[in-house]
Amino acid sequence: MKKVTKYIVNPKTCIIYPHFDEYGNHYSIVNETDRRLIVEMSPINIIELSLLKHASSFKGAKEGARYILGNTSMNPLMINDKLGLYAIPTMSPANIECVWFMLEQYVNRIPMGKDNLHVLFKNGFTANLNISIKRFDDKLQKAFRLKKHMDDIIKSPMEYSAENEYSIVIDPNNNGYVIRENN
């Protein structure tokens, strides 16, 4: 397995596991569609850095998801909508055992017991997760709702209404702006 110091979630990312080396350092194992890496960052640090690299933040993505999905916890996070990067935590992101998987690479899940299941990805890789089928399905459903909301925004034209009686508009004839009265 190749070892890297930093990692940014990308369209090939399938799942990010916590990993502790022989010295107790909190690292990650990242499975991509075509390779597996050891990353010298914790899973939450990978998510945080990925959000920053895509012009967002952990706090902003968390607040945005909560606004869209309602007052729920452990929401999926949109890292980059155009690239289809939605990260789903298996438990509280504050928990060092939290695993993150990516919606775009997910295919199916197979129950393997009360609190255990296999998650299948597009490349044929299977990951074993210690989570009940109900909790997993709830998390997956929230991710699909978040993605649908974002897809709907992109597909539908934005409608704006002026709350005031005046609008500021670009005036190409005068190389500036003019104030117009709304009718």
Side-chain angles (χ1 to χ4, degrees):
M1 230 182 318
K2 183 178 178 181
K3 193 174 197 179
V4 296
T5 56
K6 290 187 179 181
Y7 184 82
I8 305 298
V9 172
N10 63 74
K12 290 184 172 188
T13 308
C14 295
I15 194 164
I16 304 169
Y17 291 101
H19 172 72
F20 296 90
D21 71 3
E22 62 272 17
Y23 304 108
N25 295 313
H26 191 191
Y27 291 161
S28 299
I29 293 179
V30 176
N31 286 338
E32 289 188 333
T33 55
D34 56 354
R35 65 183 180 161
R36 194 170 189 189
L37 304 166
I38 293 179
V39 182
E40 294 178 348
M41 298 172 71
S42 67
I44 189 68
N45 288 340
I46 290 173
I47 297 298
E48 289 172 338
L49 180 62
S50 298
L51 284 159
L52 287 173
K53 287 287 190 174
H54 290 279
S56 186
S57 69
F58 185 77
K59 182 180 179 185
K62 192 170 139 180
E63 287 175 358
R66 180 170 282 177
Y67 179 81
I68 291 165
L69 299 172
N71 194 19
T72 60
S73 61
M74 296 180 277
N75 287 320
L77 301 179
M78 179 185 70
I79 294 175
N80 184 306
D81 182 56
K82 287 184 180 181
L83 296 175
L85 301 177
Y86 291 83
I88 306 167
T90 58
M91 58 184 63
S92 169
N95 189 320
I96 61 172
E97 296 296 320
C98 181
V99 174
W100 293 82
F101 68 98
M102 303 304 135
L103 181 63
E104 181 62 23
Q105 292 299 329
Y106 167 82
V107 173
N108 200 359
R109 87 283 190 270
I110 302 168
M112 300 302 290
K114 183 180 177 194
D115 289 330
N116 194 287
L117 56 87
H118 289 307
V119 177
L120 291 100
F121 295 95
K122 287 180 179 176
N123 66 346
F125 174 78
T126 303
N128 184 39
L129 296 178
N130 295 322
I131 186 172
S132 72
I133 192 82
K134 182 186 179 333
R135 284 191 60 215
F136 181 85
D137 286 350
D138 288 346
K139 292 177 178 307
L140 195 60
Q141 183 62 33
K142 286 197 286 187
F144 282 123
R145 283 181 34 222
L146 180 60
K147 183 175 183 339
K148 182 180 181 332
H149 177 86
M150 297 310 299
D151 290 347
D152 288 348
I153 287 174
I154 292 168
K155 289 177 187 171
S156 65
M158 296 296 248
E159 295 181 15
Y160 297 96
S161 62
E163 293 181 20
N164 299 321
E165 296 179 20
Y166 299 95
S167 297
I168 300 173
V169 294
I170 297 173
D171 183 359
N173 298 326
N174 295 324
N175 288 332
Y177 300 91
V178 294
I179 298 174
R180 292 198 181 145
E181 189 171 349
N182 295 331
N183 296 330

